[in-house]
Amino acid sequence: MPRIAYVNGRYLPRDQGAVSIEDRGYQFADGIYEVIWVRGGRIIDLEGHMERLERSLDELSIKRPFARSVFAVILAQCLRRNRLADGYLYIQVSRGVAPRNHVYPDHGRASVVVTASRARPYDPKVMEKGVRVITIPDIRWQRCDIKAIALLPNVMGKQRAKEAGAFEAWQINALGEVTEGSVSNAWIITHEGEIITHPANNSILSGITRRAVLALVREQGLKLAERPFTLEEALVADEAFLTGTTNFIVPIVKIDKTPVGNGKPGPVTLDLHQAYLTYMDKQNEGC
Ligand code: PDD
């Protein structure tokens, strides 16, 4: 696969792409990003990702660098130039280059980078066996709704999960509630069959996969609550799963040392996973 990146107006071999050491993304993590899945050469949920990207920029008063249609052309070019069939596009927009000063520069121009990476859609073994999550305190800020490139707590969380031999780290707030994973949204299904996920407020990132799964849950007429759930509730749930662009839907079979339900991926989770695959494939029809 060729490795071509879009960097501030140019398509370059990825290892030659560079931004200034005075870029505010580098200096202050003053920027935002998106990760968008590509399946069968088609971009999944482009509109949702573009909407969230623009919202993140607006919340930080970073001037939108282009119209959505221009972004769409750049993404399509990156797909084509990298001959990407299955994988993901990464977009990063920072406030741009300026002498180091905390206040926003008056006349900045955003830096834009897009890369395309091949990746496996999902691991069937993971779906068969499920994964374990550990729990960690949620030490993040109060604007987790912005998809900011400042990800240190998430990076530390995911590293802790890896060191514990787990797939993900669920973050627990001061009230004992599960907000979300370090790179994914968190869900449980109670014994009464209610599907619960944290509401999309400033404590979590409003996942694009989460939105799609909510729609599938509603379509199937399943019981649904967008409310915070506690770790205690999670430990007695029948099923648990996580959602995210690069993992789709992953069944969770253990939280710390406690098996979830019967310790196997739950039937509702597996059904939703199938429904999500179909949902993605439907987007490809008629394109
Ligand atoms: N992460 N919550 C957090 C903190 C995330 O970082 C992500 C995604 C999600 C799921 O959002 P979505 O369904 O839109 O991917 C939830 C991306 C994939 C990443 O940082 O690589």
Side-chain angles (χ1 to χ4, degrees):
M1 175 179 160
R3 284 167 72 81
I4 305 295
Y6 172 89
V7 185
N8 285 328
R10 295 200 294 162
Y11 295 93
L12 300 168
R14 189 144 144 180
D15 56 2
Q16 288 171 30
V19 290
S20 163
I21 56 167
E22 290 213 288
D23 192 280
R24 290 179 63 98
Y26 181 64
Q27 298 270 358
F28 295 114
D30 186 358
I32 59 100
Y33 74 108
E34 281 295 324
V35 181
I36 311 179
W37 194 254
V38 175
R39 182 170 167 87
R42 304 285 184 189
I43 300 174
I44 302 299
D45 284 337
L46 178 62
E47 279 304 299
H49 284 282
M50 282 293 118
E51 209 175 273
R52 188 173 65 185
L53 178 142
E54 290 177 352
R55 181 180 181 277
S56 296
L57 290 173
D58 293 351
E59 290 297 314
L60 296 175
S61 306
I62 297 176
K63 195 164 167 268
R64 297 182 189 178
F66 324 110
R68 253 184 226 194
S69 54
V70 177
F71 255 121
V73 170
I74 294 169
L75 295 177
Q77 279 289 328
C78 285
L79 275 194
R80 196 177 62 76
R81 288 171 190 250
N82 287 287
R83 292 201 285 279
L84 184 70
D86 292 287
Y88 59 88
L89 291 158
Y90 176 79
I91 307 175
Q92 182 168 316
V93 183
S94 78
R95 201 181 303 275
V97 176
R100 189 178 184 281
N101 182 348
H102 287 66
V103 294
Y104 303 166
D106 287 335
H107 305 290
R109 203 171 87 207
S111 295
V112 182
V113 171
V114 180
T115 56
S117 302
R118 189 175 287 171
R120 268 167 37 120
Y122 68 94
D123 186 347
K125 268 198 220 124
V126 167
M127 292 310 298
E128 249 168 60
K129 286 194 177 162
V131 301
R132 182 166 82 92
V133 296
I134 57 164
T135 56
I136 58 171
D138 193 339
I139 58 169
R140 299 173 303 160
W141 69 332
Q142 287 169 23
R143 291 308 306 273
C144 296
D145 54 311
I146 299 173
K147 200 161 170 67
I149 54 174
L151 286 172
L152 263 186
N154 309 60
V155 167
M156 290 161 74
K158 189 74 175 170
Q159 179 64 22
R160 272 186 64 181
K162 185 189 167 200
E163 285 167 8
F167 187 82
E168 174 63 301
W170 271 10
Q171 300 172 101
I172 314 294
N173 69 15
L175 302 172
E177 296 159 352
V178 178
T179 50
E180 62 179 335
S182 54
V183 293
S184 58
N185 290 118
W187 305 66
I188 57 168
I189 308 178
T190 64
H191 193 57
E192 290 70 40
E194 187 172 46
I195 302 180
I196 311 177
T197 193
H198 196 287
N201 57 21
N202 62 334
S203 300
I204 68 159
L205 182 76
S206 174
I208 303 301
T209 321
R210 175 187 179 280
R211 294 184 203 176
V213 172
L214 282 176
L216 293 172
V217 166
R218 290 197 180 100
E219 224 173 82
Q220 295 186 11
L222 301 168
K223 270 193 274 177
L224 173 68
E226 282 185 80
R227 66 159 175 87
F229 60 87
T230 62
L231 175 57
E232 273 169 25
E233 282 180 281
L235 294 177
V236 296
D238 268 13
E239 299 186 32
F241 60 95
L242 59 87
T243 56
T245 295
T246 49
N247 294 299
F248 309 165
I249 297 177
V250 179
I252 294 167
V253 294
K254 213 179 226 186
I255 301 171
D256 291 323
K257 291 191 174 133
T258 308
V260 177
N262 64 4
K264 297 204 173 84
V268 179
T269 305
L270 295 177
D271 277 358
L272 282 171
H273 179 254
Q274 276 312 316
Y276 186 69
L277 294 180
T278 308
Y279 162 81
M280 284 194 289
D281 288 339
K282 268 202 194 137
Q283 288 190 33
N284 284 351
E285 286 166 12
C287 284

